[in-house]
Amino acid sequence: MASRLVLVLGDLFIPDRAPDIPAKFRKLLTPGKIGQVLCLGNLTDKDTYDFLRNLAPDLQIVKGDFDVEPYATTTTTTTTTAAHALSSSASTGAATGAASLPLAKIVSHGRLRIGFTHGHSVIPRGDADSLLIAARQMDVDVLLWGGSHRFEAYELEGKFFVNPGSATGAMSTAWPMATMTAAENGAHATVPSFCLMDVQGDVLVLYVYQLRTDAQGVENVNVEKVSFKKNDGSVAAATAAATASA
């Protein structure tokens, strides 16, 4: 039976701002466990592209603001290019350079339409009202976006919004984020993170993986679980009691 798990990650910036995806993350991300990968842009090296390509049978990528490496993109029947305000380019399924990647895409899982974009085309960057407008234009139940390099998940007017953060912990050089304080913007502190989604019918269960360093300098992968149900508009969050073994 094919896996229902969908990996969501982005803002990798390898090797410019980070040497690699953390080893503890790579140990968790093994082929055969994940059915689809959604990359929210700034995939900047061929080795990481190949790693993601081998991780799942379906890799979907949208354009970031610093993509440099050419990739081969594939369009499946479950994926459509998001038009409206976010994207005017189409994915052809042929080999294409980073400049030809679409700004946004939509996939369907269960009864949920899930849109994803890097987010640099949403102004003000990270603004909740602007993201809500984008979700309405794309007609999606869930909107995934990046650019801030920090994890966020919240519900607004019956829609679910998720930012997986940076999978490598790459620093952000973006202008101040609408959702961050002046101190947070100035510090540029980034916790490496990615998300796994499990969709059954109209319920999405989100697993958030974050690489935290304790007071003794030991790195541990912490896991948080967040649930969203379509139409209900309810979001429930609970931090896992145990850290992932890696």
Side-chain angles (χ1 to χ4, degrees):
M1 179 179 178
S3 174
R4 291 191 307 262
L5 291 177
V6 179
L7 171 63
V8 184
L9 80 175
D11 290 314
L12 296 126
F13 286 104
I14 300 170
D16 308 76
R17 305 183 195 176
D20 202 351
I21 295 174
K24 287 180 181 279
F25 281 178
R26 280 183 171 264
K27 185 177 179 180
L28 295 171
L29 299 173
T30 57
K33 295 181 179 180
I34 296 167
Q36 184 179 61
V37 177
L38 306 182
C39 180
L40 308 187
N42 292 333
L43 175 56
T44 52
D45 72 301
K46 185 67 162 55
D47 288 344
T48 304
Y49 168 79
D50 290 339
F51 170 73
L52 297 178
R53 178 84 273 175
N54 293 326
L55 196 58
D58 185 15
L59 170 61
Q60 299 292 335
I61 309 171
V62 291
K63 181 178 175 60
D65 47 356
F66 287 98
D67 301 285
V68 294
E69 190 74 17
Y71 333 101
T73 61
T74 303
T75 301
T76 69
T77 55
T78 60
T79 305
T80 58
T81 300
H84 310 295
L86 286 177
S87 176
S88 58
S89 58
S91 176
T92 63
T96 179
S100 299
L101 291 169
L103 287 174
K105 286 185 176 182
I106 299 169
V107 295
S108 295
H109 288 280
R111 293 184 54 236
L112 299 180
R113 281 171 55 85
I114 302 170
F116 58 107
T117 181
H118 174 257
H120 63 278
S121 58
V122 176
I123 306 298
R125 182 178 290 224
D127 178 69
D129 289 335
S130 298
L131 289 166
L132 179 60
I133 291 170
R136 286 171 172 167
Q137 290 175 329
M138 296 170 70
D139 189 25
V140 294
D141 306 296
V142 179
L143 181 62
L144 314 172
W145 92 100
S148 71
H149 297 217
R150 63 192 291 265
F151 166 72
E152 283 187 77
Y154 62 89
E155 183 270 336
L156 182 62
E157 295 193 16
K159 298 184 184 295
F160 193 37
F161 297 84
V162 178
N163 187 325
S166 167
T168 60
M171 61 172 270
S172 172
T173 59
W175 62 82
M177 304 290 297
T179 56
M180 294 174 68
T181 67
E184 288 172 325
N185 275 296
H188 293 296
T190 305
V191 175
S193 60
F194 69 87
C195 296
L196 286 175
M197 300 190 304
D198 184 4
V199 181
Q200 300 184 53
D202 58 1
V203 176
L204 183 154
V205 179
L206 183 75
Y207 299 93
V208 186
Y209 293 76
Q210 296 181 303
L211 188 64
R212 298 280 185 180
T213 304
D214 64 21
Q216 287 72 43
V218 178
E219 291 184 334
N220 292 293
V221 179
N222 294 337
V223 185
E224 182 181 354
K225 178 181 174 182
V226 184
S227 299
F228 168 77
K229 181 175 174 60
K230 182 178 180 179
N231 297 328
D232 190 335
S234 61
V235 177
T239 303
T243 56
S245 58

